Every structure is written in structure tokens, then in C-alpha cells.
């Protein structure tokens, strides 16, 4: 009898499974946290029978995970939606349904406008509500156009599935892990406090469990993510208060986890225990993304960064005293309202003083709703463009100098993926540079000793030291 029931119920299940295989195409814009979130959404959808596809035309669901940081980033979404509308129409003509969802920071900031401007969109979902995605899709299936952009009261991470072992394997030997989300800093140029909400730290146990899962699936290097990752705080096993330094210590106890990184840090939140971690933990890579945005104290004040250039330079000296081989990367904005030639020269001087291994730089982009948008004295586009060109030339020169200085050094390389040529692999140096080396595909995931032999524009070349 029992068997009969089993057989009976097996039949509809099988039928359900074959018809239930649906495909999701996810396009990710913006920062690493969006990359992480896209993977979590894909994992959450797997429970409903969705498999990821790289071919947009094959998808039953297209999700755009969007970025609102600059005007250009946000505009990309609307042009992508125009193309998707045509695809949806074409597929409907062939009798195939395609759902369109918009996630990420544009969804959070402009949800209503997206639904108004883009009638083909079925679903808008903000970063705080991704755990509600499967349910939201059910509502779409019932004919609703869904807008989910509340700041969720429940913990999204508790409800999102942990990384799937097979998928993690396919994603490779490095992984992101969000430990902190949101921002309370309110820099006057920035949308993030509005799109990602206020600062929330994930609990230690949740982070450790996720890291362990990643390592069990073959991950060797984890980058801890947060908009203000060094503001992460939690409670240790004995009830004591923990900062990011303590969390890093705890993570180094996971056997097989060879490398740790964290990004992005705010200069005001680099505490002593985090600086000490750079001295004490060999697993913590000697590379730090520590944006300052401008080298002018007047502009830093107007940006509400709440520190001076002198404090930033002193801080870097302390971190480098703890870890002398540490290299820095940063972010810069040129043409913030009121920025004079003199302010800009201060930025160039600061870059000369600090010396960056890599840095990102942008023209200031006015963001609706931020205090910067209301400031007078906006800098003309052509002035911004000229300043950006000069700054980028200097940063590129420093990047090349840093790469050249690596030639001849013997370093540890984490072998990550196949290279362009057969018999070649690409790995990451401790300073996050791509390094090409002759090695066997079976060595992916190994950390090997290599000697740097040359430097190209975007990567280094090396040979394995036997
Ligand atoms: N939390 C990080 C930054 C996240 S946004 C921090 O505190 O540094 C990433 C970068 O985008 C910023 O560092 C800044 O350089 C740039 N950015 C943010 N808003 C911008 C705007 N309105 N215009 C131009 N660049 C901007
Ligand atoms: Fe934006 Fe400033 Fe927060 Fe960074 S610290 S996310 S730049 S508001
Ligand atoms: Fe963009 Fe949002 Fe990240 S605005 S940079 S996707 S936090």
C-alpha cells in the first residue's frame, strides 16, 4: 500500500520536474555586493526549479541587478529594458512567456518610475527583500506587477539559502561573502545610504557557517563585503564585542581557507584591532581598498567624509608599519561642487604622497535626493573631464610603476582559472593583480610560488619556481 502511494505520487513529480525546468538570466551591474546578491538570488530561485542561463533569449525570467551610483549606471537600465521589451514581445509571438525583473539599487531608488516608464517590467525588487523573490514571482504568475522595495523587517540573510555546493564549485576558488550591508555615513554625493539602507552587520555564527560552506566547496580565498565593511561589529562566543579584526581572526581558524580580503573600508573605521590583524594574520592579504575621494580638506568637509588628508596619511603610515608590504587602492571623485583648480591640485599631491597600486576615479555625478545635488557651484563637464584625464594619467603611471616593481619578485599565486592560451592559468597576486603562468588545469585552487617575469598593461607574467 505504502509502495503504491509512492509510485502514484512519483508520477506527477516527474512530470512536474520536466515541465518545471525554467531558465533565469541575470545581468549584474555595479559593485561586488551586486555580484554576491545575484548569486544568492540564483540560489534562491533554484528551489523553484530555475537554472541559470547565459543566453538571454532562452530565459523565462530576466533579472537586471542594477546600480544607481552614477547617472550613467542608472541610464543603462532603461536602455536594457527597451531591448528586453522587444524580446518579450517577440517571444510572446512565439507563444513563450518571459518575465522581466529589476533588482538592485535602481529598483530601490526608482521602483515606481521603472513600473511607470517600462510597462514590460513585471517585478521590481530592492536589495533588502531578495529573500521574498520566489514569493514575488508567484504573485507575478497570478497577474500582478510587483513592487517590493520596503526595508525588510526580517533578516534577509536568514531566509536566503546558503551557497549551494555545486554552484560554488562552478563559480571557482574565490568567493565574496557579505558581512555588512548599508551605510550610515551619508557622504553628500552618495546614494548608497538610501538604496542599501542603514548599516546592518550579519552575526558571527552566520558568517562563519557560510565561510565554512564555501571552503567545503573548494573556495580558497574569501573577500568579505560591506559598503562599510570595517564598520562591521558583532558579538563573540563569550559575549565580548567584536570588530572586523576579531572576525578575521575567527575566520583564519577555518582549515583550508588560505586567503582573506575585505572591501570597502572607510578611513574612520580602521580600528587598532583591524590594523593589528594586518600584522598578525598571514592569511590577510596585504592589499587595502581605502578610498579618500579628494585630497582637499575643504572638499572632504563638503563631502561629509569627516576626516582630513593628514589623518588619512597618518592612518596609512600606521597600517604600513603593521604590514610593510601592504599596497593601497582607492576611489576618487573629481569635480565635486565647488572644487577649484587648487582643490584638484591637492588631490594630485595626495596621490603623489600616498602612491596607489590601483585606483578608480570618476567625474562627480549629481544624484537626485543627495545633499550634493542641491549645492550651487556645480563644476562644468569639460572641466571635470580635463581633471579626470590628468588624475587618471597619474594613477595609471603609479599602477604601472607598481607592476614594474613586482618584476623579479617571488610571490605566492592562487591559481584561479584557465588562461587565454592552452597550458596557461591565471592567478591572483597578493595585491589582486592578474598573473599569467604556465601551469596545469589540475592545479586550479593551488597556491604556488612564482617569479614575476614581466608586466603587461593589465596583467603580470610569471614562471613557477620549482
Ligand atoms: N562605500 C564606499 C564607496 C561605495 S561607492 C566608500 O565609502 O568609499 C563606490 C565609489 O563610487 C565611491 O567610492 C565614489 O568614488 C564613487 N561615487 C559614489 N557616488 C558618486 C557620485 N555621485 N559621482 C561620482 N562618483 C561617485
Ligand atoms: Fe557612500 Fe560614503 Fe557610505 Fe561610502 S561611506 S557608501 S561613499 S555614503
Ligand atoms: Fe551601485 Fe548599489 Fe553597489 S548603487 S555601487 S550597486 S551599492
Amino acid at each position: 500500500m505504502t509502495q503504491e502511494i509512492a509510485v502514484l505520487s512519483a508520477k506527477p513529480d516527474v512530470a512536474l520536474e520536466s515541465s518545471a525546468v525554467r531558465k533565469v538570466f541575470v545581468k549584474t551591474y555595479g559593485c561586488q555586493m551586486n555580484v554576491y546578491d545575484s548569486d544568492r538570488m540564483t540560489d534562491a530561485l533554484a528551489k523553484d526549479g530555475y537554472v541559470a542561463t547565459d543566453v538571454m533569449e532562452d530565459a523565462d525570467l530576466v533579472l537586471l541587478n542594477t546600480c544607481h551610483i552614477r547617472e550613467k549606471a542608472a541610464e543603462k537600465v532603461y536602455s536594457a529594458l527597451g531591448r528586453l521589451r522587444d524580446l518579450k514581445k517577440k517571444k510572446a509571438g512565439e507563444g513563450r512567456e518571459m518575465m522581466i525583473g529589476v533588482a538592485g539599487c535602481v529598483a530601490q531608488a526608482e521602483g515606481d518610475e521603472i513600473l511607470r516608464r517600462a510597462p514590460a517590467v513585471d517585478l521590481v525588487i530592492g536589495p533588502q527583500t531578495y529573500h521574498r523573490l520566489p514569493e514575488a514571482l508567484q504573485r507575478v504568475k497570478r497577474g500582478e506587477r510587483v513592487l517590493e522595495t520596503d526595508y525588510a523587517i526580517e533578516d534577509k540573510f536568514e531566509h536566503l539559502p546558503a551557497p549551494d555546493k555545486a554552484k560554488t564549485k562552478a563559480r571557482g576558488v574565490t568567493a565574496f561573502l557579505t558581512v555588512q550591508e548599508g551605510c550610515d555615513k551619508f557622504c553628500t554625493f552618495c546614494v548608497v545610504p538610501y538604496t542599501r539602507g542603514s548599516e546592518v552587520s550579519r552575526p558571527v555564527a552566520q558568517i562563519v557557517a557560510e565561510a565554512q560552506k564555501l571552503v567545503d566547496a573548494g573556495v580558497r580565498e574569501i573577500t568579505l563585503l560591506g559598503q562599510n565593511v570595517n564598520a562591521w561589529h558583532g558579538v563573540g562566543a563569550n559575549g565580548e564585542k567584536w570588530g572586523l579584526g576579531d572576525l578575521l581572526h575567527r575566520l583564519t581558524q577555518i582549515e583550508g581557507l588560505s586567503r582573506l580580503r575585505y572591501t570597502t573600508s572607510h578611513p574612520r573605521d580602521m580600528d587598532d584591532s583591524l590594523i593589528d590583524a594586518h600584522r598578525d594574520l598571514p592569511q590577510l592579504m596585504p592589499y587595502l581598498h581605502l578610498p579618500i575621494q579628494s585630497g582637499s580638506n575643504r572638499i572632504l568637509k563638503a563631502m561629509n567624509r569627516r576626516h582630513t588628508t593628514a589623518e588619512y596619511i597618518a592612518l596609512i603610515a600606521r597600517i604600513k608599519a603593521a604590514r610593510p608590504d601592504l599596497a593601497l587602492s582607492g576611489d576618487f571623485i573629481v569635480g565635486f561642487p565647488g572644487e577649484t583648480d587648487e582643490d584638484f591640485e591637492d588631490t594630485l599631491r595626495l596621490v603623489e604622497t600616498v602612491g596607489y597600486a590601483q585606483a578608480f576615479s570618476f567625474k562627480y555625478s549629481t544624484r537626485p535626493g543627495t545633499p550634493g545635488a542641491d549645492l550651487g557651484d556645480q563644476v562644468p563637464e569639460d572641466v571635470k573631464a580635463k581633471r579626470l584625464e590628468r588624475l587618471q594619467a597619474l594613477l595609471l603611471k603609479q599602477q604601472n610603476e607598481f607592476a614594474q616593481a613586482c618584476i623579479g619578485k617571488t610571490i605566492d599565486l592562487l591559481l584561479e582559472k584557465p588562461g587565454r592560451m592552452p597550458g596557461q592559468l591565471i592567478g591572483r597576486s597578493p595585491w589582486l593583480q592578474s598573473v599569467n603562468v604556465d601551469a596545469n588545469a589540475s592545479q586550479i585552487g593551488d597556491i604556488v610560488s612564482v617569479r614575476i617575469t614581466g608586466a603587461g598593461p593589465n596583467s603580470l607574467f610569471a614562471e613557477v619556481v620549482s
Side-chain angles (χ1 to χ4, degrees):
M1 186 67 196
T2 320
Q3 213 172 356
E4 218 178 271
I5 291 169
V7 170
L8 279 174
S9 66
K11 276 184 189 160
D13 269 2
V14 170
L16 189 78
E17 216 167 74
S18 56
S19 68
V21 173
R22 284 170 282 191
K23 292 184 179 167
V24 56
F25 174 90
V26 186
K27 168 97 180 144
T28 307
Y29 304 84
C31 62
Q32 292 104 322
M33 196 173 286
N34 266 9
V35 175
Y36 175 85
D37 285 342
S38 288
D39 286 347
R40 289 290 76 72
M41 284 191 275
T42 310
D43 293 352
L45 289 169
K47 286 199 172 155
D48 287 355
Y50 279 95
V51 294
T53 174
D54 294 334
V55 187
M56 194 195 276
E57 286 70 17
D58 288 351
D60 302 284
L61 167 65
V62 174
L63 262 183
L64 305 181
N65 194 4
T66 63
C67 174
H68 199 245
I69 203 78
R70 284 168 289 275
E71 195 179 352
K72 263 201 192 127
E75 269 171 7
K76 276 185 197 160
V77 178
Y78 290 101
S79 52
L81 285 175
R83 292 192 297 275
L84 277 174
R85 174 199 54 208
D86 298 342
L87 180 62
K88 183 174 181 160
K89 212 181 205 174
K90 181 173 160 249
K91 288 184 76 160
E94 295 161 1
R96 287 151 64 206
E97 197 196 348
M98 188 182 91
M99 287 185 285
I100 301 176
V102 182
C105 290
V106 182
Q108 189 65 37
E110 300 181 7
D112 292 315
E113 196 182 339
I114 294 170
L115 289 178
R116 191 174 50 76
R117 271 176 69 176
V121 170
D122 301 291
L123 162 73
V124 171
I125 189 158
Q128 281 76 28
T129 47
Y130 291 154
H131 55 293
R132 298 185 192 155
L133 178 61
E135 181 219 319
L137 287 174
Q138 290 304 320
R139 286 163 57 198
V140 171
K141 291 247 169 218
R142 292 197 294 268
E144 243 184 275
R145 289 182 86 205
V146 176
L147 177 70
E148 272 279 13
T149 51
D150 294 339
Y151 296 112
I153 36 158
E154 66 275 17
D155 175 5
K156 80 170 189 192
F157 292 107
E158 236 168 57
H159 294 81
L160 279 172
D164 174 280
K165 191 162 183 174
K167 288 200 190 72
T168 301
K169 275 206 164 115
R171 285 169 192 152
V173 297
T174 62
F176 294 129
L177 200 177
T178 292
V179 299
Q180 179 280 335
E181 188 166 355
C183 182
D184 296 337
K185 295 280 189 299
F186 291 93
C187 300
T188 53
F189 52 81
C190 184
V191 294
V192 171
Y194 312 96
T195 63
R196 292 279 172 175
S198 53
E199 265 177 39
V200 176
S201 292
R202 291 180 71 186
V204 175
Q206 225 183 57
I207 296 165
V208 171
E210 188 165 325
Q212 184 68 58
K213 279 225 158 86
L214 292 169
V215 172
D216 291 345
V219 167
R220 303 295 309 278
E221 174 183 302
I222 293 178
T223 302
L224 306 182
L225 296 182
Q227 269 83 38
N228 261 285
V229 72
N230 56 348
W232 178 90
H233 55 92
V235 179
N238 301 324
E240 69 274 41
K241 278 190 179 168
W242 273 16
L244 189 65
D246 304 297
L247 180 65
L248 287 163
H249 268 276
R250 173 64 187 87
L251 291 172
T252 60
Q253 289 168 14
I254 297 178
E255 210 172 314
L257 180 52
S258 310
R259 289 180 161 195
L260 284 163
R261 303 177 188 274
Y262 60 92
T263 197
T264 292
S265 296
H266 193 289
R268 278 183 63 101
D269 293 322
M270 285 304 296
D271 66 15
D272 290 344
S273 98
L274 183 53
I275 295 175
D276 290 349
H278 277 281
R279 180 193 61 212
D280 299 335
L281 302 177
Q283 295 94 331
L284 185 56
M285 290 294 100
Y287 188 74
L288 179 62
H289 186 60
L290 194 66
I292 182 166
Q293 316 294 354
S294 166
S296 153
N297 285 325
R298 215 174 58 80
I299 296 297
L300 285 178
K301 192 151 192 242
M303 285 175 162
N304 191 32
R305 293 292 291 185
R306 293 184 291 160
H307 63 81
T308 62
T309 53
E311 284 163 342
Y312 179 78
I313 290 166
L315 174 63
I316 287 173
R318 281 172 56 216
I319 307 167
K320 281 199 169 172
R323 185 77 205 232
D325 63 342
L326 184 118
L328 283 155
S329 80
D331 292 341
F332 292 91
I333 295 176
V334 299
F336 184 80
E339 186 188 74
T340 61
D341 284 341
E342 187 51 37
D343 293 319
F344 175 64
E345 294 298 331
D346 283 346
T347 297
L348 295 178
R349 264 193 291 275
L350 176 107
V351 171
E352 294 278 10
T353 306
V354 173
Y356 290 90
Q358 208 200 351
F360 304 94
S361 46
F362 314 95
K363 284 190 278 186
Y364 171 70
S365 169
T366 310
R367 308 309 293 129
T370 62
D374 300 328
L375 294 174
D377 216 359
Q378 299 279 335
V379 176
E381 272 309 304
D382 59 326
V383 176
K384 286 187 209 172
K386 277 189 199 126
R387 287 181 188 165
L388 186 66
E389 203 178 306
R390 279 183 67 199
L391 175 61
Q392 290 190 334
L394 175 60
L395 291 169
L396 189 62
K397 182 174 142 271
Q398 291 192 341
Q399 185 180 328
N400 288 335
E401 282 166 2
F402 183 76
Q404 289 295 328
C406 290
I407 297 175
K409 276 189 192 161
T410 298
I411 63 162
D412 284 342
L413 189 68
L414 169 59
L415 298 173
E416 267 186 40
K417 56 186 178 194
R420 238 178 273 151
M421 305 288 175
Q424 249 189 12
L425 295 183
I426 295 179
R428 288 279 178 182
S429 78
W431 308 286
L432 217 54
Q433 299 142 299
S434 288
V435 182
N436 301 282
V437 65
D438 287 343
N440 195 300
S442 66
Q443 290 175 282
I444 288 177
D446 290 353
I447 293 175
V448 294
S449 189
V450 302
R451 203 176 63 84
I452 306 295
T453 54
N458 298 310
S459 59
L460 301 174
F461 302 92
E463 57 193 20
V464 175
V465 177
S466 53

